[in-house]
Amino acid sequence: MIRGYSAEQIRAAEAPHLAAGEPLMAIAAAGLAEVIREELATLGIPLADATVLLLVGSGNNGGDALFAGAELAASGCHVAVADLGSRVHEDGLAAALQVGARTIELDGSGAAASTGASDSRAVAAVLDAAADAHVIVDGILGTGAHRSPALRGLAREVVAALLPLASAPGRRVVAVDLPSGVDPDTGAVPDETVLRADATATFGAHKAGLLRPPASSYAGRIVLVDIGLGPELDGVEPLITI
């Protein structure tokens, strides 16, 4: 039996752990890194020969991706970071850069993302990096975007350009918590500009939307990363049970 919870229910379950200073992001990032390693293993690519592209947004999903990227880079993986948000998780980025990850120069992509302006040079730079990537990590949007989950601005331009390349043989897409652009509660996909994941590392509990069509067809293999929310969710009525 799989229980699917709302974004609000999961945030409420996280709250006491965050207030206690528990390192939920570090735990989530370690689980995400393991899922990425599993996808590389399905391709038969040793970590030292692998290239991973992180698509990073402004929220905690971007931070999760960056800390996971830091773990992989420290193990010899080649990691590239595309900052597609209006800001970046500074600690996560510093951790990744310290162990050898590189950033992709996007010529002011943060401003482009926040204003909705497209930047063809930025899109081309991400496409160039993606051509060499064995795994593309979608850490653009998370449950915080549930009221308006569709991608916008530069992030949408990048994902639209990546769609044919991301689905090519010999490449995997891993979503951070949920594929960017799907509603975490209802499973709605208001804009089909969404990277279809081969695997989704979801944190704490299954998001109800991942279990509902059409979003369920974008999630791929769903891996639940335990971050210790079980006691808080006991007795909470899920949105969906399958």
Side-chain angles (χ1 to χ4, degrees), residues 130-209:
D132 296 325
H134 300 103
V135 175
I136 298 172
V137 178
D138 171 11
I140 305 171
L141 295 179
T143 57
H146 68 284
R147 291 184 178 85
S148 183
L151 290 165
R152 291 176 175 76
L154 179 65
R156 187 185 186 282
E157 297 288 336
V158 165
V159 168
L162 283 175
L163 288 175
L165 187 143
S167 61
R171 185 171 287 109
R172 298 287 187 270
V173 174
V174 174
V176 182
D177 209 24
L178 74 169
S180 298
V182 309
D183 188 297
D185 294 350
T186 68
V189 182
D191 179 351
E192 293 184 358
T193 307
V194 176
L195 288 174
R196 289 185 182 271
D198 296 285
T200 296
T202 199
F203 308 130
H206 288 88
K207 282 66 188 173

Side-chain angles (χ1 to χ4, degrees), residues 19-37:
E22 295 177 23
L24 298 190
M25 183 172 285
I27 299 169
L32 172 61
E34 180 58 26
V35 172
I36 296 169
R37 283 191 287 263

Side-chain angles (χ1 to χ4, degrees), residues 34-225:
E34 180 58 26
V35 172
I36 296 169
R37 283 191 287 263
E38 291 169 358
E39 290 302 311
L40 288 169
T42 68
L43 295 172
I45 299 171
L47 199 60
D49 297 331
T51 299
V52 172
L53 171 62
L54 309 179
L55 305 180
V56 174
S58 302
N60 287 339
N61 280 24
D64 296 328
L66 287 165
F67 281 115
E71 182 176 326
L72 296 170
S75 300
C77 182
H78 306 281
V79 176
V81 178
D83 172 16
L84 304 180
S86 56
R87 61 187 183 281
V88 69
H89 193 286
E90 295 289 350
D91 290 345
L93 180 60
L97 295 179
Q98 186 175 18
V99 290
R102 68 179 181 91
T103 57
I104 301 168
E105 180 55 55
L106 301 184
D107 297 324
S109 65
S114 63
T115 62
S118 63
D119 187 326
S120 60
R121 289 173 298 178
V123 172
V126 178
L127 278 176
D128 186 56
D132 296 325
H134 300 103
V135 175
I136 298 172
V137 178
D138 171 11
I140 305 171
L141 295 179
T143 57
H146 68 284
R147 291 184 178 85
S148 183
L151 290 165
R152 291 176 175 76
L154 179 65
R156 187 185 186 282
E157 297 288 336
V158 165
V159 168
L162 283 175
L163 288 175
L165 187 143
S167 61
R171 185 171 287 109
R172 298 287 187 270
V173 174
V174 174
V176 182
D177 209 24
L178 74 169
S180 298
V182 309
D183 188 297
D185 294 350
T186 68
V189 182
D191 179 351
E192 293 184 358
T193 307
V194 176
L195 288 174
R196 289 185 182 271
D198 296 285
T200 296
T202 199
F203 308 130
H206 288 88
K207 282 66 188 173
L210 294 178
L211 308 177
R212 291 171 161 166
S216 55
S217 67
Y218 288 83
R221 177 174 68 100
I222 300 174
V223 180
L224 177 60
V225 177

